[in-house]
Amino acid sequence: MAVYKINVATGSDMAAGTLNNIFIILVGEHGESEKHQISRHWSHFLPGSVTEFDINVEKDIGELLLVRLTMERYLNFLLDDWFCQYVNVTNPSGQLYQFPFYQWISKPGSVEVPEGKGVIITGSTHPILLRQRKAELEMNRETYKWKVYAEGVARCIDIEDDGVFKLPPNDQYSLLKEISFGYNLLSMGFGTMLKGFLFNKDLWHNLEDIKLLSTLRQSQKSGLVSEIWKEDYFFGSQYLNGVNPSLIKKCFKIPENFSVVDEMVASSLGPSTNLETELQNGHIFLADYKILENIPTNTINGKQQYIAAPMCLLWKNPQDQLVPIAIQLSQTPGKHTPVFLPSDSEFDWLLAKTWVRNSEFQVHQIDIHLLRTHFLAEVFSIATTRQLPMGHPLYKAWVFGDGGIPLLLKRAMEGMTYHNLCLPDNIVSRGMESIPNYLYRDDGMKIWLAVESFVSNIVNYYYTSDVMVKEDPELQAWVAEIFKEGFLQNTSSEVPSSLKSIASLIKYLTMVIFTCSAQHAAVNSGQFDTYSWMPNGPTTMKSPPPTAKGATMEDILKTLPDVNTTALGLIFVWIVSNDPLDTRRLGNYPNKYFTEKTPQQSIKEFQDKLTEISKHIKERNKTMDLPYAYLDPSVIENSVSI
Ligand code: FE2
């Protein structure tokens, strides 16, 4: 007879405790213990509690491999969900075994968890562990199936709109997230409804009136944006440090279909230089929205909506500002496609820039935000990070007509490459290595390197050779599935379908973590700052793009969204820019899945590095008129949640 000491920890979430009967079985190399009920006591299984008890095991079961927990109904009480954090077992000779559960147990039956050491399957892996891993994967594959959202677009989870409540509790929105989501929705929704904005289908009669709505809620930056949105330097700075900082490219040659010529931009560039020289000097940049060409649009408030596919040329001036110098609103040049210039009338130039900002909104939301962070996060980790794309407010994006979103997503998929997703390559491929004041790049690279170093420590701890990477069947199956379901086996994306070395594994994992955390923060957190002043990013446009110059203020107001559409846009950006109450920051892993010392040490080093980066960013921002805080690690979420 041997006595094992057991500690069972219940989660601290307010709904984590249970009234059920809980049973435990220890599984070792040489056999299993008997089934023991964990003694019932009023203080056991309360949220945050750790229950301690001993069990007697009749025979020698050898090295412990698994713990099996079973839940059964207590008397006539309903079976309620229980969140088990961990089970620690000390054997008779004093050796501690840690079993990190960190999961909801929701139905009768058993849940098995292996000891916390990371194990890569090899020829010598114990058959009991092989059996447990196979069973776990089979169950997951049964629960989570892939579904075609639209032809040519990354696959998503096979679930109905309300199906989140049918998922295992581990993957439903947390209670806190539901509460905060609802609170944000209601507080903002009621505020605006009371003011009558949501029921007003009129157009705005002057820009100042829009402030009546935009000042209902303000962030530190949103008020400033409403003051400086017309300024060319601010318009340009948003390509570097706004919510869509990875579209702009260095331009070496003006595209054939862009009718801008030297004399048009002479007054912007000044007498000491010209367009050709500035192209050669690497001071000219291009934002091209070709992806929006001929996307179908719908009607809102009974009015047809419109979309443009502009090109915008920008110049890094001697003051190191990035300023727009020419805008063409269509991909097809011709006499009805004027090139708009800063030297045009105030309203012509403002209307052209507003059209570009509207295109920014569309491309940012659908391609950069929805596809490249939300969809990818779902693909990367269907079983862990749950943000249902089908239920996400982004799906209700405004301007697109039938088939518009799938078509845009399909085009965006074609442009999505491994290069784009890996920040260092992304910066180089767009020629953005040296442009000054590109804080997305500067902060992003610091975080990329910190993640890479963390991943490198962990990977090198578990994998000691490239062969181990190549011959890890579970890892290779994961990578192959992402390539198949997420990138539709598109080899031109250069996304790996298998990994052949430790170095390639480090890069791949860094990309996955960066995409789901920092990249999402960069394109998500500033949405309220950017868009709450509607003219800086209209959600939709209700006049066609101008085909001649001569615009008036009235034309601009007729083009901008109606009052109620503006209010809906404001509610949307308010919700998506607010953290859920259960936010976890990058580098914080409250679920201690790693039980070994070395990985725990790596996590600590990663956290220290992030703290240092955060300190540096906060210091720098104190001195800036337009601070950039979206990539401050202290506000980056660990995953894509909203
Ligand atoms: Fe988001």
PDB file of all heavy atoms in Angstrom, residues 41-68:
ATOM      1  N   HIS A  41     -16.598  18.229   0.831  1.00  0.00           N
ATOM      2  CA  HIS A  41     -16.540  19.150   1.960  1.00  0.00           C
ATOM      3  C   HIS A  41     -17.014  20.479   1.406  1.00  0.00           C
ATOM      4  O   HIS A  41     -16.785  20.773   0.224  1.00  0.00           O
ATOM      5  CB  HIS A  41     -15.093  19.250   2.473  1.00  0.00           C
ATOM      6  CG  HIS A  41     -14.954  20.135   3.672  1.00  0.00           C
ATOM      7  ND1 HIS A  41     -14.717  21.475   3.584  1.00  0.00           N
ATOM      8  CD2 HIS A  41     -15.040  19.845   5.001  1.00  0.00           C
ATOM      9  CE1 HIS A  41     -14.651  21.997   4.796  1.00  0.00           C
ATOM     10  NE2 HIS A  41     -14.853  21.022   5.678  1.00  0.00           N
ATOM     11  N   TRP A  42     -17.670  21.292   2.237  1.00  0.00           N
ATOM     12  CA  TRP A  42     -18.245  22.533   1.704  1.00  0.00           C
ATOM     13  C   TRP A  42     -17.191  23.430   1.040  1.00  0.00           C
ATOM     14  O   TRP A  42     -17.469  24.166   0.115  1.00  0.00           O
ATOM     15  CB  TRP A  42     -18.999  23.301   2.802  1.00  0.00           C
ATOM     16  CG  TRP A  42     -18.084  23.845   3.885  1.00  0.00           C
ATOM     17  CD1 TRP A  42     -17.734  23.220   5.028  1.00  0.00           C
ATOM     18  CD2 TRP A  42     -17.392  25.091   3.873  1.00  0.00           C
ATOM     19  NE1 TRP A  42     -16.863  23.975   5.744  1.00  0.00           N
ATOM     20  CE2 TRP A  42     -16.640  25.151   5.058  1.00  0.00           C
ATOM     21  CE3 TRP A  42     -17.332  26.174   2.988  1.00  0.00           C
ATOM     22  CZ2 TRP A  42     -15.830  26.237   5.368  1.00  0.00           C
ATOM     23  CZ3 TRP A  42     -16.530  27.251   3.296  1.00  0.00           C
ATOM     24  CH2 TRP A  42     -15.791  27.273   4.481  1.00  0.00           C
ATOM     25  N   SER A  43     -15.927  23.330   1.532  1.00  0.00           N
ATOM     26  CA  SER A  43     -14.912  24.240   0.992  1.00  0.00           C
ATOM     27  C   SER A  43     -14.202  23.674  -0.241  1.00  0.00           C
ATOM     28  O   SER A  43     -13.393  24.349  -0.854  1.00  0.00           O
ATOM     29  CB  SER A  43     -13.871  24.555   2.070  1.00  0.00           C
ATOM     30  OG  SER A  43     -13.153  23.373   2.372  1.00  0.00           O
ATOM     31  N   HIS A  44     -14.494  22.436  -0.581  1.00  0.00           N
ATOM     32  CA  HIS A  44     -13.841  21.861  -1.754  1.00  0.00           C
ATOM     33  C   HIS A  44     -14.500  22.356  -3.038  1.00  0.00           C
ATOM     34  O   HIS A  44     -15.708  22.493  -3.106  1.00  0.00           O
ATOM     35  CB  HIS A  44     -13.908  20.326  -1.723  1.00  0.00           C
ATOM     36  CG  HIS A  44     -13.048  19.738  -0.650  1.00  0.00           C
ATOM     37  ND1 HIS A  44     -13.038  18.408  -0.348  1.00  0.00           N
ATOM     38  CD2 HIS A  44     -12.159  20.323   0.204  1.00  0.00           C
ATOM     39  CE1 HIS A  44     -12.185  18.187   0.645  1.00  0.00           C
ATOM     40  NE2 HIS A  44     -11.657  19.340   0.999  1.00  0.00           N
ATOM     41  N   PHE A  45     -13.704  22.583  -4.028  1.00  0.00           N
ATOM     42  CA  PHE A  45     -14.179  22.985  -5.369  1.00  0.00           C
ATOM     43  C   PHE A  45     -14.885  24.339  -5.384  1.00  0.00           C
ATOM     44  O   PHE A  45     -15.689  24.609  -6.258  1.00  0.00           O
ATOM     45  CB  PHE A  45     -15.097  21.910  -5.991  1.00  0.00           C
ATOM     46  CG  PHE A  45     -14.501  20.535  -5.939  1.00  0.00           C
ATOM     47  CD1 PHE A  45     -15.126  19.504  -5.242  1.00  0.00           C
ATOM     48  CD2 PHE A  45     -13.287  20.276  -6.566  1.00  0.00           C
ATOM     49  CE1 PHE A  45     -14.561  18.249  -5.176  1.00  0.00           C
ATOM     50  CE2 PHE A  45     -12.722  19.016  -6.505  1.00  0.00           C
ATOM     51  CZ  PHE A  45     -13.359  18.000  -5.806  1.00  0.00           C
ATOM     52  N   LEU A  46     -14.583  25.184  -4.394  1.00  0.00           N
ATOM     53  CA  LEU A  46     -15.043  26.566  -4.496  1.00  0.00           C
ATOM     54  C   LEU A  46     -14.083  27.285  -5.441  1.00  0.00           C
ATOM     55  O   LEU A  46     -12.925  26.885  -5.577  1.00  0.00           O
ATOM     56  CB  LEU A  46     -14.998  27.260  -3.125  1.00  0.00           C
ATOM     57  CG  LEU A  46     -16.028  26.805  -2.099  1.00  0.00           C
ATOM     58  CD1 LEU A  46     -15.819  27.579  -0.796  1.00  0.00           C
ATOM     59  CD2 LEU A  46     -17.437  27.017  -2.633  1.00  0.00           C
ATOM     60  N   PRO A  47     -14.548  28.370  -6.094  1.00  0.00           N
ATOM     61  CA  PRO A  47     -13.632  29.086  -6.982  1.00  0.00           C
ATOM     62  C   PRO A  47     -12.351  29.487  -6.252  1.00  0.00           C
ATOM     63  O   PRO A  47     -12.403  30.011  -5.139  1.00  0.00           O
ATOM     64  CB  PRO A  47     -14.439  30.326  -7.398  1.00  0.00           C
ATOM     65  CG  PRO A  47     -15.862  29.899  -7.255  1.00  0.00           C
ATOM     66  CD  PRO A  47     -15.898  28.939  -6.105  1.00  0.00           C
ATOM     67  N   GLY A  48     -11.221  29.194  -6.838  1.00  0.00           N
ATOM     68  CA  GLY A  48      -9.930  29.571  -6.278  1.00  0.00           C
ATOM     69  C   GLY A  48      -9.406  28.625  -5.211  1.00  0.00           C
ATOM     70  O   GLY A  48      -8.334  28.857  -4.651  1.00  0.00           O
ATOM     71  N   SER A  49     -10.135  27.553  -4.905  1.00  0.00           N
ATOM     72  CA  SER A  49      -9.699  26.675  -3.809  1.00  0.00           C
ATOM     73  C   SER A  49      -8.701  25.617  -4.283  1.00  0.00           C
ATOM     74  O   SER A  49      -8.676  25.248  -5.451  1.00  0.00           O
ATOM     75  CB  SER A  49     -10.913  25.978  -3.189  1.00  0.00           C
ATOM     76  OG  SER A  49     -11.470  25.086  -4.131  1.00  0.00           O
ATOM     77  N   VAL A  50      -7.889  25.147  -3.337  1.00  0.00           N
ATOM     78  CA  VAL A  50      -7.021  24.000  -3.606  1.00  0.00           C
ATOM     79  C   VAL A  50      -7.391  22.918  -2.596  1.00  0.00           C
ATOM     80  O   VAL A  50      -7.298  23.134  -1.389  1.00  0.00           O
ATOM     81  CB  VAL A  50      -5.528  24.368  -3.464  1.00  0.00           C
ATOM     82  CG1 VAL A  50      -4.653  23.137  -3.699  1.00  0.00           C
ATOM     83  CG2 VAL A  50      -5.141  25.484  -4.421  1.00  0.00           C
ATOM     84  N   THR A  51      -7.835  21.779  -3.092  1.00  0.00           N
ATOM     85  CA  THR A  51      -8.276  20.693  -2.219  1.00  0.00           C
ATOM     86  C   THR A  51      -7.127  19.706  -2.028  1.00  0.00           C
ATOM     87  O   THR A  51      -6.553  19.238  -3.011  1.00  0.00           O
ATOM     88  CB  THR A  51      -9.483  19.970  -2.863  1.00  0.00           C
ATOM     89  OG1 THR A  51     -10.497  20.938  -3.087  1.00  0.00           O
ATOM     90  CG2 THR A  51     -10.001  18.857  -1.991  1.00  0.00           C
ATOM     91  N   GLU A  52      -6.792  19.426  -0.766  1.00  0.00           N
ATOM     92  CA  GLU A  52      -5.673  18.514  -0.485  1.00  0.00           C
ATOM     93  C   GLU A  52      -6.193  17.228   0.139  1.00  0.00           C
ATOM     94  O   GLU A  52      -7.064  17.275   1.014  1.00  0.00           O
ATOM     95  CB  GLU A  52      -4.700  19.156   0.504  1.00  0.00           C
ATOM     96  CG  GLU A  52      -3.985  20.352  -0.066  1.00  0.00           C
ATOM     97  CD  GLU A  52      -2.936  20.892   0.914  1.00  0.00           C
ATOM     98  OE1 GLU A  52      -2.572  20.153   1.866  1.00  0.00           O
ATOM     99  OE2 GLU A  52      -2.535  22.035   0.727  1.00  0.00           O
ATOM    100  N   PHE A  53      -5.685  16.108  -0.283  1.00  0.00           N
ATOM    101  CA  PHE A  53      -6.096  14.830   0.312  1.00  0.00           C
ATOM    102  C   PHE A  53      -5.078  13.754  -0.056  1.00  0.00           C
ATOM    103  O   PHE A  53      -4.225  13.957  -0.928  1.00  0.00           O
ATOM    104  CB  PHE A  53      -7.508  14.441  -0.156  1.00  0.00           C
ATOM    105  CG  PHE A  53      -7.626  14.329  -1.647  1.00  0.00           C
ATOM    106  CD1 PHE A  53      -7.558  13.092  -2.269  1.00  0.00           C
ATOM    107  CD2 PHE A  53      -7.771  15.471  -2.439  1.00  0.00           C
ATOM    108  CE1 PHE A  53      -7.650  12.986  -3.638  1.00  0.00           C
ATOM    109  CE2 PHE A  53      -7.862  15.361  -3.815  1.00  0.00           C
ATOM    110  CZ  PHE A  53      -7.800  14.121  -4.414  1.00  0.00           C
ATOM    111  N   ASP A  54      -5.177  12.620   0.620  1.00  0.00           N
ATOM    112  CA  ASP A  54      -4.290  11.480   0.334  1.00  0.00           C
ATOM    113  C   ASP A  54      -5.106  10.369  -0.281  1.00  0.00           C
ATOM    114  O   ASP A  54      -6.288  10.218   0.035  1.00  0.00           O
ATOM    115  CB  ASP A  54      -3.681  10.932   1.637  1.00  0.00           C
ATOM    116  CG  ASP A  54      -2.700  11.928   2.245  1.00  0.00           C
ATOM    117  OD1 ASP A  54      -2.322  12.887   1.541  1.00  0.00           O
ATOM    118  OD2 ASP A  54      -2.340  11.730   3.429  1.00  0.00           O
ATOM    119  N   ILE A  55      -4.482   9.560  -1.126  1.00  0.00           N
ATOM    120  CA  ILE A  55      -5.152   8.324  -1.544  1.00  0.00           C
ATOM    121  C   ILE A  55      -4.190   7.147  -1.378  1.00  0.00           C
ATOM    122  O   ILE A  55      -2.969   7.305  -1.511  1.00  0.00           O
ATOM    123  CB  ILE A  55      -5.705   8.374  -2.993  1.00  0.00           C
ATOM    124  CG1 ILE A  55      -4.597   8.580  -4.034  1.00  0.00           C
ATOM    125  CG2 ILE A  55      -6.784   9.412  -3.156  1.00  0.00           C
ATOM    126  CD1 ILE A  55      -5.102   8.432  -5.462  1.00  0.00           C
ATOM    127  N   ASN A  56      -4.772   6.016  -1.076  1.00  0.00           N
ATOM    128  CA  ASN A  56      -3.975   4.789  -0.937  1.00  0.00           C
ATOM    129  C   ASN A  56      -4.044   4.002  -2.236  1.00  0.00           C
ATOM    130  O   ASN A  56      -5.132   3.775  -2.770  1.00  0.00           O
ATOM    131  CB  ASN A  56      -4.528   3.920   0.190  1.00  0.00           C
ATOM    132  CG  ASN A  56      -4.387   4.635   1.517  1.00  0.00           C
ATOM    133  OD1 ASN A  56      -3.356   5.268   1.776  1.00  0.00           O
ATOM    134  ND2 ASN A  56      -5.421   4.553   2.337  1.00  0.00           N
ATOM    135  N   VAL A  57      -2.890   3.607  -2.730  1.00  0.00           N
ATOM    136  CA  VAL A  57      -2.864   2.805  -3.956  1.00  0.00           C
ATOM    137  C   VAL A  57      -2.312   1.436  -3.588  1.00  0.00           C
ATOM    138  O   VAL A  57      -1.268   1.323  -2.947  1.00  0.00           O
ATOM    139  CB  VAL A  57      -1.990   3.490  -5.036  1.00  0.00           C
ATOM    140  CG1 VAL A  57      -1.920   2.636  -6.292  1.00  0.00           C
ATOM    141  CG2 VAL A  57      -2.559   4.869  -5.364  1.00  0.00           C
ATOM    142  N   GLU A  58      -3.077   0.399  -3.979  1.00  0.00           N
ATOM    143  CA  GLU A  58      -2.760  -0.966  -3.557  1.00  0.00           C
ATOM    144  C   GLU A  58      -1.455  -1.482  -4.140  1.00  0.00           C
ATOM    145  O   GLU A  58      -0.661  -2.114  -3.484  1.00  0.00           O
ATOM    146  CB  GLU A  58      -3.904  -1.914  -3.966  1.00  0.00           C
ATOM    147  CG  GLU A  58      -5.255  -1.566  -3.348  1.00  0.00           C
ATOM    148  CD  GLU A  58      -5.306  -1.900  -1.868  1.00  0.00           C
ATOM    149  OE1 GLU A  58      -4.511  -2.742  -1.424  1.00  0.00           O
ATOM    150  OE2 GLU A  58      -6.105  -1.280  -1.139  1.00  0.00           O
ATOM    151  N   LYS A  59      -1.235  -1.202  -5.453  1.00  0.00           N
ATOM    152  CA  LYS A  59      -0.075  -1.825  -6.089  1.00  0.00           C
ATOM    153  C   LYS A  59       0.912  -0.767  -6.569  1.00  0.00           C
ATOM    154  O   LYS A  59       0.595   0.426  -6.611  1.00  0.00           O
ATOM    155  CB  LYS A  59      -0.543  -2.674  -7.258  1.00  0.00           C
ATOM    156  CG  LYS A  59      -1.350  -1.887  -8.253  1.00  0.00           C
ATOM    157  CD  LYS A  59      -1.990  -2.764  -9.314  1.00  0.00           C
ATOM    158  CE  LYS A  59      -2.837  -1.890 -10.209  1.00  0.00           C
ATOM    159  NZ  LYS A  59      -3.739  -2.560 -11.071  1.00  0.00           N
ATOM    160  N   ASP A  60       2.081  -1.210  -6.993  1.00  0.00           N
ATOM    161  CA  ASP A  60       3.090  -0.288  -7.530  1.00  0.00           C
ATOM    162  C   ASP A  60       2.721   0.035  -8.978  1.00  0.00           C
ATOM    163  O   ASP A  60       2.724  -0.850  -9.839  1.00  0.00           O
ATOM    164  CB  ASP A  60       4.467  -0.977  -7.464  1.00  0.00           C
ATOM    165  CG  ASP A  60       5.541  -0.109  -8.100  1.00  0.00           C
ATOM    166  OD1 ASP A  60       5.287   1.106  -8.299  1.00  0.00           O
ATOM    167  OD2 ASP A  60       6.622  -0.647  -8.417  1.00  0.00           O
ATOM    168  N   ILE A  61       2.395   1.299  -9.237  1.00  0.00           N
ATOM    169  CA  ILE A  61       1.991   1.653 -10.610  1.00  0.00           C
ATOM    170  C   ILE A  61       3.146   2.311 -11.373  1.00  0.00           C
ATOM    171  O   ILE A  61       3.000   2.709 -12.520  1.00  0.00           O
ATOM    172  CB  ILE A  61       0.731   2.561 -10.629  1.00  0.00           C
ATOM    173  CG1 ILE A  61       0.939   3.821  -9.781  1.00  0.00           C
ATOM    174  CG2 ILE A  61      -0.497   1.787 -10.173  1.00  0.00           C
ATOM    175  CD1 ILE A  61      -0.216   4.813  -9.874  1.00  0.00           C
ATOM    176  N   GLY A  62       4.298   2.455 -10.747  1.00  0.00           N
ATOM    177  CA  GLY A  62       5.484   2.964 -11.443  1.00  0.00           C
ATOM    178  C   GLY A  62       5.420   4.467 -11.676  1.00  0.00           C
ATOM    179  O   GLY A  62       4.663   5.189 -11.015  1.00  0.00           O
ATOM    180  N   GLU A  63       6.221   4.945 -12.634  1.00  0.00           N
ATOM    181  CA  GLU A  63       6.243   6.377 -12.983  1.00  0.00           C
ATOM    182  C   GLU A  63       4.854   6.844 -13.388  1.00  0.00           C
ATOM    183  O   GLU A  63       4.194   6.195 -14.197  1.00  0.00           O
ATOM    184  CB  GLU A  63       7.167   6.592 -14.191  1.00  0.00           C
ATOM    185  CG  GLU A  63       8.642   6.630 -13.888  1.00  0.00           C
ATOM    186  CD  GLU A  63       9.031   7.929 -13.202  1.00  0.00           C
ATOM    187  OE1 GLU A  63       8.689   9.006 -13.738  1.00  0.00           O
ATOM    188  OE2 GLU A  63       9.659   7.855 -12.135  1.00  0.00           O
ATOM    189  N   LEU A  64       4.421   7.986 -12.847  1.00  0.00           N
ATOM    190  CA  LEU A  64       3.075   8.473 -13.210  1.00  0.00           C
ATOM    191  C   LEU A  64       3.070   9.061 -14.614  1.00  0.00           C
ATOM    192  O   LEU A  64       3.976   9.820 -14.991  1.00  0.00           O
ATOM    193  CB  LEU A  64       2.625   9.550 -12.234  1.00  0.00           C
ATOM    194  CG  LEU A  64       2.142   9.088 -10.869  1.00  0.00           C
ATOM    195  CD1 LEU A  64       1.520  10.265 -10.117  1.00  0.00           C
ATOM    196  CD2 LEU A  64       1.120   7.972 -11.000  1.00  0.00           C
ATOM    197  N   LEU A  65       2.060   8.727 -15.395  1.00  0.00           N
ATOM    198  CA  LEU A  65       1.949   9.227 -16.767  1.00  0.00           C
ATOM    199  C   LEU A  65       0.752  10.163 -16.946  1.00  0.00           C
ATOM    200  O   LEU A  65       0.857  11.199 -17.597  1.00  0.00           O
ATOM    201  CB  LEU A  65       1.810   8.054 -17.749  1.00  0.00           C
ATOM    202  CG  LEU A  65       2.980   7.077 -17.804  1.00  0.00           C
ATOM    203  CD1 LEU A  65       2.624   5.894 -18.697  1.00  0.00           C
ATOM    204  CD2 LEU A  65       4.238   7.766 -18.325  1.00  0.00           C
ATOM    205  N   LEU A  66      -0.383   9.768 -16.364  1.00  0.00           N
ATOM    206  CA  LEU A  66      -1.622  10.528 -16.585  1.00  0.00           C
ATOM    207  C   LEU A  66      -2.407  10.639 -15.292  1.00  0.00           C
ATOM    208  O   LEU A  66      -2.258   9.808 -14.400  1.00  0.00           O
ATOM    209  CB  LEU A  66      -2.560   9.804 -17.564  1.00  0.00           C
ATOM    210  CG  LEU A  66      -2.077   9.311 -18.903  1.00  0.00           C
ATOM    211  CD1 LEU A  66      -3.158   8.420 -19.525  1.00  0.00           C
ATOM    212  CD2 LEU A  66      -1.814  10.488 -19.822  1.00  0.00           C
ATOM    213  N   VAL A  67      -3.284  11.649 -15.253  1.00  0.00           N
ATOM    214  CA  VAL A  67      -4.325  11.686 -14.232  1.00  0.00           C
ATOM    215  C   VAL A  67      -5.657  11.680 -14.958  1.00  0.00           C
ATOM    216  O   VAL A  67      -5.827  12.374 -15.961  1.00  0.00           O
ATOM    217  CB  VAL A  67      -4.189  12.938 -13.344  1.00  0.00           C
ATOM    218  CG1 VAL A  67      -5.525  13.296 -12.703  1.00  0.00           C
ATOM    219  CG2 VAL A  67      -3.163  12.707 -12.255  1.00  0.00           C
ATOM    220  N   ARG A  68      -6.580  10.855 -14.471  1.00  0.00           N
ATOM    221  CA  ARG A  68      -7.910  10.802 -15.088  1.00  0.00           C
ATOM    222  C   ARG A  68      -8.932  11.310 -14.070  1.00  0.00           C
ATOM    223  O   ARG A  68      -9.002  10.790 -12.952  1.00  0.00           O
ATOM    224  CB  ARG A  68      -8.233   9.367 -15.485  1.00  0.00           C
ATOM    225  CG  ARG A  68      -9.484   9.225 -16.332  1.00  0.00           C
ATOM    226  CD  ARG A  68      -9.746   7.767 -16.687  1.00  0.00           C
ATOM    227  NE  ARG A  68      -8.626   7.178 -17.394  1.00  0.00           N
ATOM    228  CZ  ARG A  68      -8.212   5.909 -17.230  1.00  0.00           C
ATOM    229  NH1 ARG A  68      -8.836   5.116 -16.390  1.00  0.00           N
ATOM    230  NH2 ARG A  68      -7.179   5.454 -17.894  1.00  0.00           N
TER     231      ARG A  68
END
